[in-house]
Amino acid sequence: MEPIVSIAVVTSLILGALIAFIAFGTYFRNRKSEIVSIANPADTAPLNLKNSKPHQTKKSHAKPHQSHADKDLNKRHHPLDLNTLKGHGDSVNGLCFSSDGHSLATACDDGVVRVFKLDDASSKSFKFMRINLPAGGHPTAVAFVDDASSVVVASQSLTGASLYMYGEDNPKGGENRQHFKPELKWEQHNAHEKKYILTLFGTKATHGAADGSTIVASSSEGTDIKLWHGKSGKMLGFVDTNQLKNNMATVSPNGRFIAAAAFTADVKVWEIVYSKDSSVKEVTKVMQLKGHKSAVTWLSFTPDSERIITASKDGSIRVWNINVRYHLDEDPKTLKVFPIPLHDSNGTALHYDRLSISPDGKILAVTHGSLLQWLSVETGEVLETADKAHDGDITDIAWAPKPIPVGDKRVSILASSSVDKKVKLWASPTL
């Protein structure tokens, strides 16, 4: 009996194993067919492209074996682009040329003001004097005082806006002057309380009884504008635009007028009255430029101090004659109106952020975002356009007061600064 039971058990086990083998075989054959159907040629193509992508990346990264000179040449995409001043650690907020045009001061968010020597605008490197502001201060604007060895700097910190004037301890240091440590000559804390200083413009006052000393106008983001004596730091005057907020303010080249662009469409102009001893007696409002239909974003005096050019959000540029007998209630006159030649994709006119007039009064440099243009002051015609002058918004532009050597030539130069940490030098276009 036992052998029969054993045979039955063995037979059952063999049959069970056989059934299981057949079942698993069927399952794996089905699974294999599923895998084959998924991995068809049409679907493997993208996978091959993906796998080949790293090789393309590797190929493109193997490119940077070109020299620095080649790189600079490639980046100078515009024929007027002469050179780039590098080395800034953050956004460059403002810049200013010295009266001889051979020094360029820059105000950078890295807390440093740099004064570059521009002996040749085409040079591969430039010597500069480094001025470190007190900890926590961010330079917002800069202006030269009297000569190339002294600068006034506007700085913003958590405690408010301050003004500092730095001068070299040995201005006659000659070629090695960049090694001399700049000295702090004066400082004004809370110059505009806690309000940000937007602009700083200086000029040598030569009108009337003025003695040629540098005066500096500072404009806050509020409605106040202050006038300072460059060498001493003494406040000479104060005006309030009463126009909600300022966009900027500047002083005329001869030191006679202050003009402000603000939130409203009108431009207010004040006269700086000098006493016989050359001190500032008063700053009084003398005229108002009316004609724009929207806020004026920027303005600039012509080199002869007799005209003002304004740019507005109404899409126009106006040229004003301010050489009028305002004491006899004669109003300033609009000489020319030009449409701003910029439009968005919908055809709406755009506005200019900044403008600056060339030393000969013939060319107007203007900006919008990262775009830079040169216009004829006489006709409003666009002379040149650099669609992407910088890799970010342009923060400031300024003309060198005198031509600068470029190789064996002397060229009229425009400087531009940007949030891209660079300062560029541009040749003037031909009229």
Side-chain angles (χ1 to χ4, degrees), residues 69 93 189 281 323 383 385 411 427:
N93 298 318
H189 296 291
K281 181 180 179 181
N323 186 24
L383 303 174
T385 299
V411 178

Side-chain angles (χ1 to χ4, degrees), residues 294-355:
S294 189
V296 175
T297 55
W298 209 265
L299 60 84
S300 184
F301 285 93
T302 55
D304 60 8
S305 300
E306 294 184 356
R307 291 175 294 163
I308 291 178
I309 301 181
T310 56
S312 169
K313 287 186 177 180
D314 64 11
S316 72
I317 296 171
R318 285 178 177 256
V319 181
W320 309 79
N321 175 28
I322 59 169
N323 186 24
V324 296
R325 296 172 295 179
Y326 49 82
H327 54 282
L328 298 176
D329 293 328
E330 187 178 343
D331 293 327
K333 298 175 179 63
T334 300
L335 299 177
K336 297 172 184 176
V337 181
F338 303 127
I340 292 177
L342 288 178
H343 299 85
D344 62 17
S345 56
N346 297 321
T348 305
L350 300 175
H351 65 271
Y352 286 133
D353 301 322
R354 282 168 178 74
L355 56 86

Side-chain angles (χ1 to χ4, degrees), residues 4 78 166 181 205 213 257 289 297 341 408 417:
I4 295 171
H78 196 279
Y166 291 91
K181 183 180 178 182
S213 297
F257 297 113
L289 311 184
T297 55
D408 58 353
S417 60

Side-chain angles (χ1 to χ4, degrees), residues 155-162 189-197 220-222 224:
S155 175
Q156 189 70 25
S157 66
L158 293 175
T159 57
S162 299
H189 296 291
N190 296 316
H192 289 267
E193 299 175 341
K194 288 198 173 184
K195 294 189 287 290
Y196 190 94
I197 294 177
S220 81
E221 61 185 343
D224 53 329

